[in-house]
Amino acid sequence: MSTEKKQNINDKDIQVVLGTLLRAGVIISMSIVLIGGVVFLIHNNGVITDYKVFKPELSKFSSIAAIFKGLSTFHGDAIVQFGILMLIFTPIARIIFAIFSFFLERDYLYVLIGFIILAIITISLNGGLAH
C-alpha cells in the first residue's frame, strides 16, 4: 500500500510568497526608475528645465501605449514612467495572487471580494467616474 503525501499550501507559505512578491516588485520598479533617470540625465546633459510653471499636458508619455513606444526608442523619461507603472502594478499583482490563493483554499467569499477590489482598481485606473 503506497501512501501519497498531499502537499498543502498553508497561510505562512502564502504570506512568504506575497511578501517576496511585494519586495521584488518594489526593488525591480525602483531599479527601472534609477536606470531611466541615468539614461534621462545622459541624453539631456546640460538642458535647463524651467520648474516654475508645471504643464502636465505637455507630457509625452501620459498613456501606457506612449510609454511602451518610448521604451522602444530608449527615452529616459519613458523608462522612468515604466518603472512607476511597475510600482503601481505591484499591489495589483498581490491582489491577483491573493485571489488565486483564496481560490485554492476554496474560500469563495474572499475570491469574490478580491474580484470586486480588482474591478474597483481597474475602473479607477482607466479614468474612473471623475472624468
Side-chain angles (χ1 to χ4, degrees):
M1 183 176 209
S2 66
T3 59
E4 288 185 30
K5 280 191 161 183
K6 186 177 178 184
Q7 288 186 331
N8 289 332
I9 299 174
N10 59 17
D11 288 338
K12 185 176 181 179
D13 294 334
I14 292 172
Q15 293 301 323
V16 168
V17 171
L18 286 176
T20 305
L21 175 73
L22 290 174
R23 211 173 301 116
V26 169
I27 290 170
I28 290 169
S29 64
M30 288 299 103
S31 299
I32 293 171
V33 169
L34 179 66
I35 291 168
V38 170
V39 170
F40 179 78
L41 290 175
I42 289 171
H43 285 279
N44 295 319
N45 189 15
V47 176
I48 298 174
T49 304
D50 182 22
Y51 289 110
K52 292 180 183 177
V53 179
F54 177 66
K55 296 180 182 176
E57 64 273 0
L58 296 179
S59 176
K60 297 180 281 186
F61 305 109
S62 59
S63 69
I64 294 176
I67 291 171
F68 283 113
K69 186 177 179 184
L71 279 177
S72 66
T73 58
F74 210 63
H75 279 92
D77 40 357
I79 298 171
V80 171
Q81 290 273 2
F82 179 70
I84 293 171
L85 198 62
M86 292 295 295
L87 186 64
I88 291 170
F89 285 126
T90 299
I92 294 172
R94 187 223 186 274
I95 293 170
I96 292 170
F97 185 80
I99 290 171
F100 179 71
S101 65
F102 288 137
F103 185 76
L104 287 178
E105 293 176 357
R106 293 185 177 95
D107 200 349
Y108 300 117
L109 176 64
Y110 286 113
V111 170
L112 178 66
I113 292 171
F115 275 121
I116 291 171
I117 292 170
L118 195 60
I120 291 170
I121 291 172
T122 304
I123 290 169
S124 67
L125 284 176
N126 288 327
L129 299 174
H131 296 288

